[in-house]
């Protein structure tokens, strides 16, 4: 193996570790609120900018949300897709444009998750608006959290979850099914985006838990990232799916009981 090829895994690990370090520093610093769900116009300096430039509020909010979300994806989801990236790298090692193709593969994967992030943030904003307009939900916000946790638990038993997980656990088969190398750059990007879609199919319900327990919690991100990586890449990963579903449903039931029976 040539020295340059042996560098891929360490560099990838360093990139992932760097993303986690940045998240930790961000969360521990004075600007931690940028990671969490809040009104962007309430943050120091941001409100003044939004008032000074009409329309800047939407653009700035989208920029900050996207930056935070992509950093989270780099930390949480890129490691779970390492087998795909490494397999593709080895299959294209003889091509002159191999670095470009690998970059496009990763970009396609990140683009799929970025689009999901926009949808998830829109869903979260809609829930906040619904809660603001509903006195019952405003007082009993725990109901939304309990529902999200229960849904994430039930999704662990779904056929869609199983099908997407099977696709993610077989990177070589996925590449041979979706990449011919005829229009190499376009196919590389679409391969990454396609795998990202199946990855979202595996993990989207678990990712929504971040909105239930607190967006930007580095501890929760570490826990969820480890669970999703184990599910997709370890031999015993499938075995944790149903127990995790049971645990989430039990957690939801505890939230309901704690807020109805023990108050």
């Amino acid at each position: 193996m040539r020295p340059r090829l042996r560098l891929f895994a360490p560099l990838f690990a360093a990139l992932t570790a760097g993303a986690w370090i940045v998240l930790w520093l961000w969360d521990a610093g004075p600007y931690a609120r940028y990671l969490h769900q809040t009104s962007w116009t309430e943050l120091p300096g941001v409100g003044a900018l939004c008032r000074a430039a009409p329309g800047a509020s939407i653009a700035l909010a989208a920029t900050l949300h996207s930056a935070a979300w992509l950093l989270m994806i780099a930390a949480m989801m890129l490691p779970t897709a390492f087998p795909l990236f490494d397999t593709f790298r080895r299959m294209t090692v003889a091509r002159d444009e191999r670095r470009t193709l690998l970059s496009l593969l990763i970009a396609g994967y990140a683009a799929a998750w970025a689009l999901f992030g926009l949808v998830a943030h829109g869903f979260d904003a809609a829930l906040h608006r619904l809660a603001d307009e509903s006195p019952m939900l405003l007082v009993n916000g725990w109901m939304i959290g309990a529902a999200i946790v229960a849904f994430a638990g039930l999704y662990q038993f779904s056929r869609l979850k199983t099908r997407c997980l099977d696709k993610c656990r077989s990177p070589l088969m996925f590449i041979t099914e979706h990449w011919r190398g005829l229009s190499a750059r376009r196919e590389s990007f679409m391969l990454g985006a396609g795998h990202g879609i199946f990855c979202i199919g595996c993990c989207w319900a678990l990712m929504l838990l971040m909105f239930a327990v607190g967006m930007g919690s580095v501890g929760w991100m570490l826990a969820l990232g480890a669970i999703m990586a184990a599910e997709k890449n370890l031999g015993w990963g499938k075995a944790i799916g149903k127990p995790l579903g049971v645990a989430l449903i039990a957690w939801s039931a505890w939230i309901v009981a704690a807020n109805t029976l023990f108050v």
Side-chain angles (χ1 to χ4, degrees), residues 166-186:
D166 288 340
K167 290 287 185 180
C168 291
R169 290 171 62 88
S170 306
L172 179 59
M173 185 178 298
F174 189 86
I175 293 172
T176 55
E177 287 177 354
H178 297 89
W179 197 80
R180 297 292 180 268
L182 301 177
S183 179
R185 297 191 177 197
R186 181 185 63 82

Side-chain angles (χ1 to χ4, degrees), residues 7 60 99 103 125 173 223:
L7 288 176
L60 186 60
R99 293 185 183 86
S103 298
M173 185 178 298

Side-chain angles (χ1 to χ4, degrees), residues 11-81:
L11 287 175
F12 194 88
L15 174 65
T16 302
W20 280 113
I21 291 171
V22 172
L23 280 173
W24 178 76
L25 291 174
W26 192 345
D27 191 50
Y31 300 103
R33 286 177 294 175
Y34 284 88
L35 270 178
H36 301 271
Q37 291 299 101
T38 185
S39 173
W40 296 102
T41 56
E42 295 175 0
L43 296 174
V46 176
L49 177 60
C50 292
R51 289 190 293 272
S57 176
I58 296 176
L60 186 60
T63 300
L64 294 173
H65 273 303
S66 298
W69 181 258
L70 288 176
L71 186 60
M72 293 176 193
I73 293 306
M76 295 177 65
M77 302 313 304
L78 286 183
T80 73

Side-chain angles (χ1 to χ4, degrees), residues 65-259:
H65 273 303
S66 298
W69 181 258
L70 288 176
L71 186 60
M72 293 176 193
I73 293 306
M76 295 177 65
M77 302 313 304
L78 286 183
T80 73
F82 175 78
L84 174 79
F85 302 147
D86 191 49
T87 302
F88 183 82
R89 175 191 61 80
R90 288 186 277 110
M91 291 180 66
T92 58
V93 69
R95 289 177 174 262
D96 293 335
E97 55 179 352
R98 57 187 180 276
R99 293 185 183 86
T100 300
L101 298 182
L102 181 60
S103 298
L104 288 169
L105 175 75
I106 296 174
Y109 183 84
W113 274 104
L115 182 59
F116 171 76
L118 291 175
V119 174
H121 279 291
F123 174 73
D124 184 68
L127 283 181
H128 277 80
R129 181 173 298 179
L130 178 64
D132 290 341
E133 296 176 355
S134 170
M136 183 188 71
L137 287 179
L138 194 60
V139 175
N140 301 290
W142 59 268
M143 296 172 63
I144 296 176
I148 292 175
V149 172
F151 181 81
L154 292 172
Y155 188 72
Q156 291 294 111
F157 298 91
S158 70
R159 290 184 179 179
L160 179 59
K161 165 85 177 190
T162 301
R163 180 170 179 267
C164 291
L165 191 57
D166 288 340
K167 290 287 185 180
C168 291
R169 290 171 62 88
S170 306
L172 179 59
M173 185 178 298
F174 189 86
I175 293 172
T176 55
E177 287 177 354
H178 297 89
W179 197 80
R180 297 292 180 268
L182 301 177
S183 179
R185 297 191 177 197
R186 181 185 63 82
E187 289 182 25
S188 297
F189 182 86
M190 295 307 297
L191 176 68
H195 194 271
I197 290 172
F198 279 109
C199 187
I200 292 169
C202 291
C203 308
W204 70 274
L206 291 177
M207 291 291 282
L208 288 183
L209 289 178
M210 289 201 305
F211 293 89
V213 301
M215 185 69 173
S217 169
V218 176
W220 274 107
M221 283 190 280
L222 274 169
L224 290 174
I227 289 171
M228 291 183 285
E231 271 195 315
K232 291 171 62 177
N233 297 328
L234 298 182
W236 48 268
K238 279 189 176 181
I240 68 175
K242 289 181 173 55
L244 177 61
V246 172
L248 289 171
I249 293 171
W251 182 19
S252 176
W254 180 85
I255 293 173
V256 173
N259 287 274

